[in-house]
């Protein structure tokens, strides 16, 4: 199975901060890497697909990049509604796998 | 929109059938995946079914115990879960799956399955 390692596992940030989360794959997954936002009690929400494509309706402050084994999700100018847990997910190989999550908390 | 139902409290070895009812898009055009989240844990993909039901796939952790089916006429996908174990306790989400090497979205809010003696 392809392992995805996210870092950090949690972070504290303030409204207006720029935050970057990394996701490292255990093997080359080209650009088949997606990002989701999840708030407690809510449905997870697709943010970025195929490494860098922003899903329709997602604010432009979210961006993604990377290829091969190293990927990033960046949130420019954090808003109060961005405090949540973020997951990466690979679709290069079966079984589909997720990273362990990064929880962004309010400083 | 996707809405899951059918969760509940069961004993080890018992069965449950989850349903996922979709609206707002043509179910017959899309794969559907089931993904779960154990309490305090991360997300685990467990199954998908292709748009024509010609193909299904399962995670090793549920293979042989869970079966996914769909009824496009009823806009519904089902997850039959047999021989449930304590470690199957989780919130179960269904999500539209864009297909081979794709992504999940939108998702439902999930239904909680608790397996305990």
């Amino acid at each position: 199975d392809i392992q995805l390692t996210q870092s950090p596992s949690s972070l504290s940030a303030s409204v207006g901060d720029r935050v970057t989360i990394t996701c490292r794959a255990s093997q080359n997954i080209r650009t088949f890497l997606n990002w989701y936002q999840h708030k407690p009690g809510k449905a997870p929400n697709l943010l970025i697909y195929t490494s860098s494509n922003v899903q329709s309706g997602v604010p432009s402050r979210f961006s993604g990049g990377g290829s091969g084994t190293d990927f990033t999700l960046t949130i420019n100018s954090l808003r109060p509604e961005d405090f949540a847990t973020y997951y990466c997910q690979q679709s290069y190989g079966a079984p589909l796998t997720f990273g362990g999550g990064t929880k962004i908390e309010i400083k | 929109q996707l809405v899951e139902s059918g969760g509940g409290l069961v004993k080890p070895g018992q069965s449950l059938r989850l349903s996922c009812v979709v609206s707002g898009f043509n179910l017959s055009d899309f794969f559907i995946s089931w993904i779960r989240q154990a309490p305090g844990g991360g997300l685990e993909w467990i199954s998908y079914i292709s748009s024509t039901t010609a193909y299904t796939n399962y995670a090793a952790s549920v293979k042989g115990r869970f079966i996914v089916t769909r009824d496009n006429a009823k806009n519904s996908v089902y997850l039959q879960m047999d021989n449930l174990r304590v470690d199957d306790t989780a919130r179960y989400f269904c999500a539209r799956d864009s297909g081979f090497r794709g992504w999940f979205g939108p998702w439902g809010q999930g239904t909680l399955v608790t397996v305990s003696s």
Side-chain angles (χ1 to χ4, degrees):
Chain A
D1 297 5
I2 298 171
Q3 310 298 322
L4 296 178
T5 304
Q6 284 184 237
S7 60
S9 57
S10 66
L11 66 90
S12 295
S14 301
V15 171
D17 284 353
R18 183 173 190 257
V19 168
T20 297
I21 299 168
T22 65
C23 179
R24 175 161 289 175
S26 60
Q27 65 182 74
N28 185 350
I29 59 170
R30 293 163 56 184
T31 58
F32 296 105
L33 193 285
N34 310 308
W35 290 96
Y36 304 88
Q37 177 192 68
H38 191 201
K39 298 178 182 179
K42 298 289 185 71
N45 185 41
L46 174 67
L47 299 174
I48 306 286
Y49 61 94
T50 324
S51 180
S52 60
N53 296 283
V54 181
Q55 172 69 356
S56 175
V58 172
S60 59
R61 62 183 180 274
F62 290 91
S63 63
S67 65
T69 61
D70 293 310
F71 301 86
T72 59
L73 172 70
T74 298
I75 311 172
N76 283 303
S77 191
L78 266 176
R79 299 274 303 254
E81 60 267 32
D82 299 335
F83 292 95
T85 300
Y86 294 82
Y87 293 93
C88 57
Q89 174 253 325
Q90 66 82 21
S91 58
Y92 178 77
L96 308 176
T97 51
F98 289 85
T102 297
K103 185 174 184 179
I104 300 180
E105 299 172 304
I106 301 173
K107 185 183 289 184
Chain B
Q1 186 183 7
L2 298 90
V3 179
E4 305 90 339
S5 63
L9 172 63
V10 296
K11 291 180 168 42
Q14 292 186 333
S15 299
L16 271 179
R17 186 196 196 206
L18 305 185
S19 299
C20 171
V21 178
V22 312
S23 59
F25 63 91
N26 191 353
L27 178 62
S28 60
D29 290 338
F30 291 94
F31 286 42
I32 296 291
S33 272
W34 286 94
I35 298 139
R36 68 184 180 184
Q37 184 177 37
L43 298 169
E44 179 190 14
W45 170 84
I46 56 171
S47 178
Y48 70 70
I49 185 166
S50 67
S51 54
T52 63
T53 74
Y55 192 65
T56 59
N57 200 8
Y58 302 91
S61 57
V62 305
K63 197 168 189 176
R65 301 186 299 121
F66 291 13
I67 297 174
V68 60
T69 58
R70 64 193 293 158
D71 184 339
N72 290 337
K74 294 185 177 179
N75 292 322
S76 295
V77 176
Y78 307 100
L79 186 67
Q80 177 67 39
M81 305 187 298
D82 296 328
N83 192 20
L84 282 161
R85 309 190 300 220
V86 171
D87 62 0
D88 293 318
T89 295
R91 179 165 291 274
Y92 286 73
F93 300 93
C94 61
R96 193 174 74 181
D97 185 333
S98 67
F100 181 63
R101 289 186 170 168
W103 49 89
F104 305 124
W107 300 52
Q109 291 194 316
T111 187
L112 183 62
V113 173
T114 303
V115 185
S116 174
S117 55

